[in-house]
Amino acid sequence: MDVIASKIIFLGVIMAIGFLSEKTGFTKGLSSAVSQVLTRITLPLLVITTLSGQVRSAETWHTAVAVFIFGLLFVFLLLFLGKISAIPFHFNKKRADVHICLTSFGNTIFLAYPLLRVLWGETAVFYAAFFSIANDLAAWTIGVLILSHGKNGRIDFRRLINPTTLSYVIGAVMFAFSLRLPPFLHEAAAEIGSTTTVLSMLFLGAVLAGMRFRELFEGLSSITIIVIKMIGVPIAAFYFLRWLIPALDLPIHTLVPYILAMELAMPCQSVFAILSREYGGDTDYAATAICLTTAASLVTLPFVYTLLS
């Protein structure tokens, strides 16, 4: 636990630097600039080098498929729980739809990859990428369909084409066919990709600096997202998988329950603030819940990890 605590503190210090830099005005527009570098350069290179750098074997192939399938199943469970948990609050249609999406889809990349990389290394990031594929596929299809219901009901599949999703495809193809970059290119790309951890923490710190903390605790419904999505389901998923995998004698990596639990424990996916505005959802509720869950993750993620240990 001392090692884990030191790693979490390490990430927290970097986040604090981003927070203070943005809050004091020492840097201007830090989150916007870093976000572009992350999404267009470092993260795609991290995904490609991580996926292509793995040696294909029966275990890695079975594990990747299992993570993808389990990921979809748990996303569907969260969609159901999001719908059920919205009922007691008597939300209007717009807020209920946003609540369902926020309960179901998490920040499986910016926060998850750096944390998993620090905790369990490149292997964890490799398998986490397949959870992200499941999460993003559902988010940009089912999630968009939920938000756009009543407006045009159409899914814009073009949104699935971006540097990050393309990097998934490229990396997965390279992994499946055992393709490798030339050593000097792989080394350069991997070195650039490795900066994702630091940049992600700076980005999150800068985002937290822009929050209006008085507004974060106005909605009790946001607390239910934390309880269900960030604590309850991740812990239940961990112990369920710890029982299921040996019970079925599945030939997959022992890290799978840990990776899935930590991915499920991530705060709300920030893109839904943008999608909510575009499709006529309750944008204020989306922004508040995203800010609250992101801030709460500083406490809930170490708590969940402690229960998994």
Side-chain angles (χ1 to χ4, degrees), residues 47-184:
V47 171
I48 291 173
T49 55
T50 300
L51 289 176
S52 64
Q54 293 291 322
V55 177
R56 180 178 171 181
S57 66
E59 182 186 64
T60 56
W61 183 254
H62 292 154
T63 302
V65 173
V67 169
F68 177 79
I69 294 174
F70 283 134
L72 282 179
L73 291 176
F74 285 118
V75 165
F76 287 136
L77 172 63
L78 286 169
L79 283 165
F80 173 75
L81 294 176
K83 189 174 183 63
I84 296 299
S85 63
I87 295 175
F89 297 100
H90 304 289
F91 290 146
N92 59 39
K93 185 68 168 63
K94 290 182 178 180
R95 179 162 292 196
D97 289 345
V98 171
H99 178 84
I100 293 169
C101 290
L102 294 177
T103 304
S104 307
F105 306 109
N107 186 348
T108 62
I109 298 177
F110 284 160
L111 183 55
Y113 285 9
L115 183 59
L116 292 173
R117 189 168 183 263
V118 168
L119 294 177
W120 296 298
E122 299 296 336
T123 299
V125 177
F126 168 71
Y127 291 128
F130 290 91
F131 180 92
S132 296
I133 294 172
N135 179 86
D136 289 356
L137 179 62
W140 289 102
T141 53
I142 299 173
V144 169
L145 188 60
I146 291 172
L147 290 179
S148 63
H149 183 72
K151 184 178 180 181
N152 54 36
R154 294 179 296 177
I155 300 174
D156 187 358
F157 286 99
R158 291 174 298 178
R159 288 190 172 274
L160 282 170
I161 303 175
N162 56 66
T164 303
T165 56
L166 288 175
S167 70
Y168 287 141
V169 174
I170 294 170
V173 169
M174 293 180 71
F175 165 69
F177 293 97
S178 299
L179 301 177
R180 297 289 183 271
L181 291 171
F184 70 95

Side-chain angles (χ1 to χ4, degrees), residues 239-307:
Y239 287 105
F240 171 72
L241 291 172
R242 283 284 296 270
W243 165 80
L244 181 68
I245 292 172
L248 298 180
D249 194 25
L250 298 178
I252 60 180
H253 201 286
T254 55
L255 276 179
V256 167
Y258 296 91
I259 294 168
L260 281 169
M262 294 304 290
E263 283 277 30
L264 290 166
M266 293 298 139
C268 300
Q269 191 165 350
S270 56
V271 72
F272 278 95
I274 300 170
L275 292 178
S276 177
R277 177 174 298 172
E278 181 172 340
Y279 290 101
D282 191 330
T283 305
D284 290 340
Y285 177 74
T288 300
I290 290 166
C291 289
L292 174 60
T293 57
T294 301
S297 68
L298 299 177
V299 176
T300 59
L301 287 173
F303 173 72
V304 169
Y305 180 83
T306 301
L307 294 180

Side-chain angles (χ1 to χ4, degrees), residues 172-247:
V173 169
M174 293 180 71
F175 165 69
F177 293 97
S178 299
L179 301 177
R180 297 289 183 271
L181 291 171
F184 70 95
L185 281 181
H186 182 90
E187 183 179 357
E191 193 68 25
I192 296 172
S194 68
T195 63
T196 299
T197 298
V198 172
L199 292 176
S200 294
M201 294 302 104
L202 288 174
F203 170 76
L204 289 174
V207 170
L208 286 172
M211 294 180 183
R212 292 174 292 182
F213 287 97
R214 291 181 180 179
E215 298 180 0
L216 293 183
F217 300 97
E218 291 180 353
L220 179 62
S221 55
S222 295
I223 305 298
T224 65
I225 296 177
I226 295 173
V227 174
I228 293 172
K229 186 206 176 319
M230 299 171 65
I231 299 176
V233 169
I235 294 172
F238 174 77
Y239 287 105
F240 171 72
L241 291 172
R242 283 284 296 270
W243 165 80
L244 181 68
I245 292 172

